[in-house]
Amino acid sequence: MQVGIDDLAIYVPKLYIDYKDFAQARGINPQKLEYGIGIKKMALVDTNQDSACMAANACLKLMQKNDLQPQNIGRMYVATESALDESKAMNSFVIGMLEEVYGEGSFEHAGGIECKFACVSGSYALYDNTNWIRAEENNNKAAVVIVSDIAKYDIGSAGEYTQGAGAVAMLITENPRLLAFDSKIASTIIKNEYDFYRPFGKETPLVNGNYSNLLYLIQVKKAFDSYKEKAIRTGLIRLRNGESITDHIDLFSVHLPYRKMGEKALAYLLRHEWRHLPRWQHIIKEIGMIEPVPKDPRGTIESILADKEFMESDEKFRRAFMQTSSYNEVFEQKMASSLEASSLIGNLYTASMYMGLRSLLEFEYKKGVELESKRIGFGSYGSGSSAMVFSGVIQPEYRGLVKNMNLEEEIGMRTKLSIEEYEEVHKNERNLNDCHLRGHKEFVLVKIGGSTADKAGFREYNYLN
Ligand code: CAA
């Protein structure tokens, strides 16, 4: 049985800050943001928006564009790290909003939970719902997986230029029109880590930036090793002499905290996969230096980061590798299109990789590339930490869906905030109803908390016509 993503819909808030304004305000060279990080615009939520209404807006779009009724949906999972309640799941808020449109009780027959594991939980939600359908537990109904997040960092921190907000809703069905997941190869890795975390009550995360970057690379590589073993063992991919498994993956979509991280993840993976192959000799010749090895190759991430001599020469090698024709050919053909949305929106945590998938489909199609039967390899990462690597194949009916994708049109007219306006929103200094934009044909938050103590934390949303 083929199961996978039948269609997807996105929601991106219309407020943003521009990288040039941001760079000027923080005294950073704008080229660092544009090229070193890869950001041009960071999407921001208005005072009357939260992660639940972004999720509901993405889901409503998905339902409307596919003429879906609540009866067609058996499960709704929301994956997020921008939770609104320690107990009440985000999908309950989303269902409450959708029932304003579809009628009270219209989702009563369905089920679902909120999932948490930093940015990777959406991938676990997809995997679990795919298997719910494969196991034929679904009573002919579809599952909806929504990934929705607000990436918010402290003002003045290095994470501040990797902020963003948005949601992606995905329809999971049998015989999907867009992408069928390969079965029996999804691979995970998990370890207790403190690279990035947000203790209870804190609105912004605590981040060990460089540690988190290296951990991301290592964890995805480990999950990829396991994927490779399964793909070969199950016969999904057959390697000939001198081939790398990356030769059999046509397109890549990876977690994107920022655009440059995707480029680095591909470089790390290719180095790992290619260094034992004959092609490596040519690459080393082109680079003109041998690949550095840490003093203690079996050391910890801390010991590798502390090995200054290795880190410096490895950075030099990595940059040179990313200039080679071999890297650039793979990057342009297999990854570049997935990074376009990241530069225009910023980090979306759980939704980043799926906005990347959306971007990949749209911009590859616009390049005129034939996508049918192409295999996409996914590298999902969540701090804390876990990685999941899996793959899927683009289905013949993809054209009908992808030809209408237009990121800029779907985001709509955007409003740039000045740095002062941004900081005011960031510090929660504006009243909930004192929003910059009123919203149109979407759900917005109108009230938090009732008049009595037992209604604390009640959230009221309205659909604006
Ligand atoms: N022109 C062009 N490039 C420039 C430049 C200039 N004038 N000045 C600097 N740069 C480049 C640097 O050379 C560097 O490029 P390379 O990576 O190729 O070396 C790049 O800009 C970034 O600069 P720094 O190395 O100085 O990094 P930073 O101090 O700005 O921090 C960061 C970057 C660690 C990602 C920080 O933004 C951060 O902490 N972000 C939040 C954590 C994060 O996103 N971690 C990612 C992995 S964890 C994860 O993925 C989960 C998640 O979603 C959070």
Side-chain angles (χ1 to χ4, degrees):
M1 184 198 288
Q2 297 270 51
V3 183
I5 303 175
D6 187 67
D7 194 10
L8 47 78
I10 61 169
Y11 178 82
V12 179
K14 292 187 174 58
L15 298 183
Y16 75 95
I17 30 173
D18 186 84
Y19 78 104
K20 286 190 187 137
D21 299 344
F22 183 85
Q24 192 180 18
R26 298 287 177 263
I28 301 170
N29 185 332
Q31 294 213 322
K32 168 171 175 171
L33 301 185
E34 190 176 3
Y35 303 110
I37 297 291
I39 189 75
K40 289 187 187 143
K41 291 178 181 176
M42 284 182 267
L44 299 169
V45 282
D46 210 332
T47 55
N48 61 348
Q49 293 182 309
D50 62 16
S51 43
C53 68
M54 290 196 299
N57 286 323
C59 189
L60 182 64
K61 264 173 134 181
L62 182 73
M63 291 179 70
Q64 288 175 336
K65 80 196 258 245
N66 288 288
D67 286 328
L68 286 174
Q69 291 303 312
Q71 280 306 325
N72 305 123
I73 297 168
R75 265 183 165 198
M76 183 192 293
Y77 275 42
V78 179
T80 186
E81 53 183 299
S82 314
L84 300 171
D85 193 287
E86 310 288 13
S87 171
K88 187 170 156 57
M90 192 176 291
N91 54 339
S92 63
F93 292 106
V94 173
I95 280 168
M97 283 181 253
L98 293 171
E99 288 192 350
E100 276 185 44
V101 175
Y102 292 99
E104 203 177 329
S106 53
F107 278 90
E108 200 175 46
H109 61 277
I113 52 167
E114 175 187 314
C115 308
K116 176 168 72 183
F117 202 129
C119 310
V120 74
S121 60
S123 303
Y124 280 94
L126 274 185
Y127 180 68
D128 290 357
N129 281 289
T130 297
N131 287 330
W132 175 69
I133 296 175
R134 283 179 183 146
E136 297 180 23
E137 296 273 355
N138 61 323
N139 196 18
N140 286 322
K141 293 189 193 296
V144 171
V145 171
I146 312 169
V147 279
S148 179
D149 263 310
I150 299 166
K152 181 170 180 175
Y153 291 83
D154 285 336
I155 289 180
S157 70
E160 198 189 5
Y161 36 82
T162 63
Q163 298 184 111
V168 180
M170 291 169 276
L171 184 64
I172 314 305
T173 65
E174 202 178 320
N175 299 323
R177 289 168 295 168
L178 208 52
L179 184 88
F181 291 125
D182 293 321
S183 57
K184 298 189 168 58
I185 44 75
S187 299
T188 54
I189 179 123
I190 191 163
K191 191 166 184 269
N192 179 28
E193 289 281 2
Y194 279 94
D195 54 324
F196 167 107
Y197 58 106
R198 188 163 66 85
F200 282 139
K202 223 181 156 306
E203 209 186 18
T204 50
L206 298 170
V207 192
N208 190 345
N210 289 334
Y211 187 91
S212 73
N213 280 345
L214 185 55
L215 188 63
Y216 167 122
L217 299 174
I218 291 173
Q219 297 294 69
V220 172
K221 187 211 84 178
K222 283 184 177 169
F224 191 80
D225 283 342
S226 165
Y227 167 88
K228 183 164 77 171
E229 186 276 320
K230 288 182 190 173
I232 293 170
R233 179 164 43 79
T234 59
L236 181 77
I237 292 175
R238 289 174 211 282
L239 290 188
R240 290 182 291 262
N241 264 351
E243 277 186 346
S244 151
I245 193 145
T246 54
D247 302 339
H248 292 260
I249 295 175
D250 304 299
L251 297 159
F252 286 97
S253 180
V254 299
H255 172 52
L256 296 173
Y258 51 99
R259 183 191 161 104
K260 187 71 175 283
M261 192 69 211
E263 299 174 21
K264 286 185 181 181
L266 182 67
Y268 194 83
L269 199 62
L270 294 180
R271 281 172 66 183
H272 174 67
E273 288 303 317
W274 289 357
R275 65 168 65 98
H276 304 295
L277 299 179
R279 71 186 78 170
W280 197 239
Q281 303 310 319
H282 303 287
I283 293 167
I284 290 293
K285 216 166 154 191
E286 194 180 338
I287 293 176
M289 74 183 267
I290 54 163
E291 192 176 20
V293 183
K295 280 193 194 93
D296 179 5
R298 291 178 176 277
T300 60
I301 296 179
E302 284 94 342
S303 74
I304 291 174
L305 286 170
D307 186 347
K308 292 261 177 297
E309 200 182 317
F310 165 74
M311 285 306 292
E312 269 169 32
S313 50
D314 192 65
E315 280 296 279
K316 201 169 148 203
F317 185 89
R318 189 218 2 119
R319 288 201 184 103
F321 175 65
M322 288 170 76
Q323 298 297 320
T324 61
S325 49
S326 308
Y327 170 83
N328 275 297
E329 195 182 310
V330 176
F331 173 72
E332 285 304 330
Q333 282 178 12
K334 301 191 177 189
M335 177 174 270
S337 294
S338 75
L339 309 181
E340 295 298 318
S342 175
S343 308
L344 300 173
I345 305 171
N347 193 359
L348 308 180
Y349 291 159
T350 51
S352 288
M353 190 175 85
Y354 296 100
M355 188 64 82
L357 165 65
R358 174 41 229 264
S359 177
L360 180 69
L361 294 168
E362 176 177 335
F363 292 102
E364 281 298 290
Y365 182 81
K366 284 185 175 148
K367 277 191 332 203
V369 174
E370 170 56 60
L371 293 174
E372 185 178 335
S373 302
K374 291 262 163 83
R375 171 162 286 121
I376 307 182
F378 294 89
S380 189
Y381 176 69
S383 292
S385 87
S386 180
M388 182 187 274
V389 170
F390 55 99
S391 57
V393 174
I394 299 178
Q395 297 300 294
E397 285 176 87
Y398 82 92
R399 275 180 215 85
L401 300 160
V402 175
K403 72 177 191 325
N404 298 322
M405 289 180 176
N406 187 324
L407 194 63
E408 291 204 20
E409 208 175 280
E410 280 176 62
I411 298 176
M413 182 95 93
R414 301 175 83 177
T415 301
K416 187 172 93 156
L417 291 192
S418 68
I419 287 296
E420 293 73 28
E421 288 168 326
Y422 148 69
E423 288 190 1
E424 199 184 27
V425 173
H426 190 289
K427 292 177 190 162
N428 304 319
E429 287 172 352
R430 277 175 92 101
N431 188 288
L432 191 152
N433 294 309
D434 192 11
C435 45
H436 286 275
L437 303 170
R438 294 238 71 89
H440 176 58
K441 291 207 176 303
E442 61 184 292
F443 296 105
V444 292
L445 179 63
V446 289
K447 194 172 173 206
I448 304 178
S451 47
T452 52
D454 61 333
K455 297 261 189 328
F458 264 51
R459 299 177 91 86
E460 279 179 36
Y461 299 90
N462 267 355
Y463 184 71
L464 301 178
N465 268 306

